Amino acid sequence: MKCWRRGGRQADYRRPLQPLVERFAMVEEFDRMVVKLLIDQLKAQTKGPRTPLAVNLSSHSIRSEGFDDWLVGLLQTNRDVAPYLIFEVPELTMRGPWQIAASGYPA
């Protein structure tokens, strides 16, 4: 999708946001913000059945100290919508060093 800005310059809003988030070392904050926004979206679904929503969590966030405690606490606080959240995590993040070595991936 191309949009026009003042001055006649084009802006392409399809560019991924992730490189900027990584550049400014805000990956964990970004993941936290996205999870909170999804919870707000689920709570706003008041008519009809709720639609499950998915989020890709970064390896950085998953490995970050305290992120798992924060996420579990948030889900416990929002038990009404927690079953409608789907989390995707990079496979290598969840594998132990012995599994990575056995699979042929560099450790």
Side-chain angles (χ1 to χ4, degrees), residues 4-57:
W4 293 96
R5 292 191 257 174
R6 272 192 260 161
R9 294 179 24 204
Q10 262 187 351
D12 188 350
Y13 292 104
R14 291 179 297 182
R15 290 185 187 181
L17 184 59
Q18 195 65 24
L20 285 174
V21 172
E22 291 171 359
R23 180 178 177 189
F24 292 105
M26 297 180 71
V27 175
E28 185 178 347
E29 292 85 355
F30 182 78
D31 281 351
R32 288 177 186 242
M33 180 191 69
V34 170
V35 172
K36 289 177 188 176
L37 287 171
L38 290 178
I39 287 173
D40 291 344
Q41 285 292 319
L42 287 167
K43 288 186 176 282
Q45 293 178 12
T46 57
K47 296 181 181 178
R50 284 192 168 118
T51 303
L53 299 174
V55 61
N56 294 321
L57 296 176

Side-chain angles (χ1 to χ4, degrees), residues 74-87:
L74 187 66
L75 296 175
Q76 288 175 340
T77 303
N78 296 281
R79 291 178 188 264
D80 56 328
V81 296
Y84 300 97
L85 284 170
I86 301 165
F87 297 99

Side-chain angles (χ1 to χ4, degrees), residues 90-107:
E91 181 181 353
L92 291 177
T93 303
M94 300 308 291
R95 299 171 75 185
W98 61 91
Q99 292 171 318
I100 292 171
S103 69
Y105 286 103

